[in-house]
Amino acid sequence: DRSFEVYQEVSFKTGNGGFVIIPPKSESSKRFYRMPEEYISLVKKHISDNKLNAKDYIFYQYSKNKKSAPCPEQTFRTNANNYCRVISPEFHFHMLRKSNVTYLHDKSIHLEEIKKYIGHSSSDITKNVYLQTSIEKENAILSILKETIDSLK
């Protein structure tokens, strides 16, 4: 199987330092992720290496030497950004999401399909916030402009 579903999320906004498992806000908040087999293999390896079961969290933190507490989103983001900064000081985790959208769009995947894939309710969000002009497209634009200018000489 090359997919997994997310039906719940964890909120750390309880006021007492704890967490609460809450259902997704809406039907569209339920996520169905499809990914390449290599990614699924990595997740399965992580689950196996860490001896996780169906009730464990894939991303967790240790609590009294147990893998029972979910990893707070901010901790996950901080750790992910630290790994990304090994690549470049300006690089951050969210750039992967933006570059993924740009890459898929450059490969002629329709914006509506990309919107569904990343879980947006509106393709306007996908287009206006996540879609960027790739270096290849910028070079193509510059090439067209140069040809136009050269033809005027």
Side-chain angles (χ1 to χ4, degrees), residues 1-7 31-45 47:
D1 189 13
R2 292 176 45 189
S3 61
F4 65 94
E5 298 174 72
V6 177
Y7 288 107
R31 302 289 195 249
F32 180 77
Y33 296 97
R34 291 189 49 82
M35 57 181 65
E37 183 56 42
E38 294 81 11
Y39 295 0
I40 293 290
S41 295
L42 289 171
V43 172
K44 286 180 179 178
K45 181 178 180 342
I47 289 169

Side-chain angles (χ1 to χ4, degrees), residues 13-79:
K13 298 175 183 169
T14 62
N16 64 4
F19 64 91
V20 183
I21 297 177
I22 56 175
K25 306 179 273 223
S26 65
E27 196 60 33
S28 66
S29 294
K30 291 182 179 176
R31 302 289 195 249
F32 180 77
Y33 296 97
R34 291 189 49 82
M35 57 181 65
E37 183 56 42
E38 294 81 11
Y39 295 0
I40 293 290
S41 295
L42 289 171
V43 172
K44 286 180 179 178
K45 181 178 180 342
H46 172 75
I47 289 169
S48 173
D49 289 352
N50 292 282
K51 298 175 179 63
L52 303 176
N53 63 49
K55 295 192 181 223
D56 288 328
Y57 301 98
I58 291 179
F59 302 110
Y60 56 85
Q61 64 182 4
Y62 281 92
S63 175
K64 297 181 184 173
N65 295 326
K66 291 183 185 176
K67 297 176 279 211
S68 58
C71 179
E73 180 182 353
Q74 189 56 47
T75 302
F76 177 82
R77 285 178 189 258
T78 299
N79 290 338

Side-chain angles (χ1 to χ4, degrees), residues 85-120:
R85 287 197 180 92
V86 169
I87 297 168
S88 167
E90 296 84 29
F91 191 66
H92 57 86
F93 187 68
H94 204 70
M95 291 172 103
L96 296 172
R97 190 165 164 94
K98 289 183 176 187
S99 62
N100 192 22
V101 167
T102 301
Y103 176 78
L104 292 172
H105 189 263
D106 282 356
K107 294 296 181 186
S108 301
I109 305 296
H110 290 275
L111 198 56
E112 190 66 22
E113 295 303 314
I114 298 170
K115 171 204 86 153
K116 289 177 192 172
Y117 177 71
I118 65 172
H120 286 159

